[in-house]
Amino acid sequence: MSKVDLGLLSNFTQARYVVQLSTGKRIVLFRLPAIEPSKDKSKADNETDDGWSYYAMEAECPHAGGPMQDSQVDIEDSGYIVSCPWHAYDFNVETGESSVGITACTFPVNVRGESVILHFIGPNAEGVTLKTIEPVSEQFRLKKDGTAGAPLSPSNQESAGDAKYLDEAATLCDWCAHILNTPHPEHKIELTAHLFATFSQREGTSSPMPLGCGTVQAPAQPPRQGLTEVQPWNMPRAGRGGTLKSRISMLHALANIELWAIDLAIDICIRFATFQTDPLSKDSSRDLPRAFYHDWLKVANDEAKHFSLLRARIEEMGSHFGALPVHHGLWDSAITTAHDLRARISIIALVHEARGLDVNPMTIEKFRKAGDSPSVDVLEVIHNDEITHVTTGHRWLTWICQEEETDPVHVFRSNVEKYFKGHIKEPFNMEARAQAGMDRRYYENLEGVSVA
């Protein structure tokens, strides 16, 4: 066993953190209100004097590797239960026990004076130290009054800038088409957060949101409002981040990517709602399970959060989103892959999103060298979330290939060769790619369509 010092108690202000140890092991640290705060000296070892309790468990769900840092937290029988965002498998954060017969690894946490100590138990546990600890952002930065992270409801639409909500009878595809056709970026992020929250909440009830597969069509291209669009090759150079102007330009370009990323995640839900697997035995073809839609709505919700954080940071720096030209090159890949879900996942999630994992650390370092710590905080939130987005793409391409008895590496590489323009270039962030499920077989020595 190793006693790992996670830091000073005063440094912990958020509900959850991702802890990476020197062995590469990832753990989620939960900071939750004590259910019954102790009134005497016999308070639990993981409890603070001011009524907080700390818990730690493995970061990947033992069922299918879902990201437990994104789990839903509930109270049952005077204990905290966390549910995996992928299949809603539930685990007691203290014991790891679940109602489905599998157990997650949990680790004792002690609060000693001003320090939070993790007791790491397991094979080769001796000498383990802390590598990194990152807060999990749960905050939206909405451009209106209200609680950050909580989308406004139809009852207060006026203060929300008149974003249009659909009624309770609306299907998932109704909502997706509505969001895709919403040109105002603030309305888009608000409605996306509302859809994800509503879909998730209704999943555990007797009236889950109907899918509406095939009843409504996605637009050919989502409209934009108040933006100057140019071709990608006509975009002004952003520079290297050494000046305020350069950093604003870099963040503006990233915000544009995140705005398109919202639409891409929403579009995959509606455009491929009638998708069926194509196995050798035609009698065993399958529709997409509801978990598919939940996963991509989670991605859309993250992208909406990312856009809101970037937009707010640009404004703090004295500019605004729309002050610079943008391009829609990312949507071109959506058009190219609109006919095939396998191709869509391969190009958007496993090429474009994975490329973000490669370049994000270099971008973060540029901002760090410039002393721009608020932007670094935003970019680190985005980077950590995007690892889970590549994981989502890898998971669903693998699921399709398992159903069709094909090789996901071969399917991915063949789609890149058909539909991606250019090379899959180094450098690769092999660690982040591996965390997302992509080993070197996927991307080494791979070329797309020649652009010559």
Side-chain angles (χ1 to χ4, degrees):
M1 182 184 76
S2 290
K3 296 180 181 179
V4 183
D5 190 341
L6 300 182
L8 295 177
L9 198 61
S10 58
N11 292 338
F12 294 95
T13 58
Q14 293 192 201
R16 56 192 84 187
Y17 295 79
V18 174
V19 175
Q20 183 162 346
L21 302 177
S22 57
T23 59
K25 180 72 174 179
R26 296 173 68 248
I27 292 170
V28 181
L29 177 71
F30 292 94
R31 175 181 178 267
L32 303 170
I35 297 175
E36 295 180 359
S38 299
K39 302 297 184 181
D40 52 36
K41 296 180 181 179
S42 63
K43 71 176 186 297
D45 290 339
N46 66 327
E47 188 179 329
T48 67
D49 291 332
D50 56 351
W52 292 96
S53 295
Y54 288 78
Y55 305 90
M57 71 184 306
E58 59 184 321
E60 287 76 36
C61 175
H63 169 237
M68 295 307 296
Q69 68 264 26
D70 297 324
S71 56
Q72 179 176 320
V73 180
D74 298 291
I75 297 176
E76 292 182 10
D77 299 326
S78 298
Y80 278 112
I81 304 296
V82 293
S83 300
C84 175
W86 282 4
H87 299 106
Y89 278 46
D90 58 329
F91 302 92
N92 183 293
V93 292
E94 191 165 11
T95 67
E97 296 176 347
S98 73
S99 64
V100 292
I102 59 176
T103 303
C105 291
T106 58
F107 307 90
V109 180
N110 285 359
V111 177
R112 294 186 177 178
E114 291 300 313
S115 296
V116 179
I117 307 296
L118 170 72
H119 292 247
F120 182 66
I121 304 169
N124 304 316
E126 293 298 326
V128 174
T129 59
L130 175 67
K131 183 177 180 181
T132 61
I133 181 166
E134 301 288 347
V136 178
S137 172
E138 301 178 49
Q139 298 294 315
F140 275 77
R141 301 277 304 269
L142 301 178
K143 283 188 72 172
K144 53 182 175 285
D145 293 334
T147 303
L152 300 184
S153 63
S155 62
N156 48 16
Q157 287 182 37
E158 184 175 354
S159 64
D162 296 322
K164 180 183 176 182
Y165 284 77
L166 303 183
D167 60 34
E168 293 185 359
T171 68
L172 172 65
C173 287
D174 289 332
W175 269 106
C176 289
H178 178 52
I179 292 171
L180 289 170
N181 283 308
T182 297
H184 195 291
E186 294 303 318
H187 295 171
K188 187 183 292 287
I189 65 174
E190 178 186 334
L191 295 172
T192 298
H194 175 80
L195 172 58
F196 174 63
T198 303
F199 187 90
S200 299
Q201 290 164 3
R202 291 179 62 178
E203 279 299 273
T205 71
S206 59
S207 58
M209 182 180 289
L211 298 178
C213 301
T215 60
V216 60
Q217 297 298 311
Q221 180 170 315
R224 290 291 184 260
Q225 180 174 316
L227 299 177
T228 301
E229 293 191 3
V230 299
Q231 294 298 330
W233 51 86
N234 289 328
M235 285 288 293
R237 292 186 176 273
R240 298 183 178 181
T243 66
L244 177 63
K245 179 180 178 181
S246 174
R247 293 195 298 278
I248 289 173
S249 181
M250 293 169 71
L251 294 181
H252 195 280
L254 289 172
N256 179 56
I257 290 172
E258 298 294 346
L259 191 60
W260 281 113
I262 300 169
D263 287 327
L264 287 166
I266 293 293
D267 183 79
I268 203 171
C269 293
I270 179 174
R271 191 171 301 277
F272 300 102
T274 58
F275 175 88
Q276 289 186 319
T277 57
D278 186 21
L280 295 176
S281 172
K282 302 301 182 182
D283 294 337
S284 60
S285 62
R286 291 185 60 186
D287 296 333
L288 292 166
R290 292 184 68 90
F292 172 90
Y293 302 98
H294 182 276
D295 280 5
W296 290 106
L297 291 180
K298 172 62 170 61
V299 172
N301 187 71
D302 284 348
E303 309 292 16
K305 175 182 69 177
H306 298 168
F307 175 81
S308 75
L309 294 173
L310 289 165
R311 188 261 302 131
R313 180 61 190 144
I314 292 168
E315 291 175 355
E316 291 168 352
M317 298 167 78
S319 187
H320 65 276
F321 184 69
L324 300 173
V326 299
H327 68 83
H328 57 255
L330 193 56
W331 191 257
D332 291 342
S333 291
I335 295 172
T336 303
T337 58
H339 66 290
D340 184 3
L341 177 57
R342 305 164 196 81
R344 170 64 66 86
I345 293 174
S346 296
I347 303 306
I348 297 300
L350 302 185
V351 174
H352 288 299
E353 286 261 24
R355 187 56 180 161
L357 303 186
D358 301 332
V359 302
N360 285 342
M362 294 180 284
T363 303
I364 291 170
E365 187 59 27
K366 291 178 181 179
F367 280 80
R368 183 175 284 115
K369 285 183 177 179
D372 189 348
S373 56
S375 295
V376 168
D377 292 342
V378 169
L379 294 172
E380 287 182 337
V381 166
I382 292 172
H383 178 66
N384 291 332
D385 284 347
E386 287 181 348
I387 293 175
T388 69
H389 299 176
V390 180
T391 302
T392 298
H394 178 267
R395 172 174 176 245
W396 285 107
L397 182 63
T398 300
W399 180 86
I400 293 169
C401 291
Q402 287 175 342
E403 292 294 319
E404 297 178 344
E405 299 182 51
T406 55
D407 176 19
V409 175
H410 173 74
V411 170
F412 167 74
R413 293 179 71 94
S414 63
N415 277 309
V416 171
E417 291 166 355
K418 291 178 184 177
Y419 304 115
F420 182 73
K421 294 181 180 179
H423 297 274
I424 306 298
K425 299 178 181 179
E426 297 185 34
F428 299 123
N429 187 340
M430 294 183 179
E431 180 181 359
R433 284 173 174 254
Q435 288 178 2
M438 295 185 72
D439 59 45
R440 296 183 179 187
R441 297 175 302 153
Y442 280 87
Y443 51 83
E444 285 191 334
N445 301 316
L446 180 58
E447 295 184 19
V449 180
S450 175
V451 294

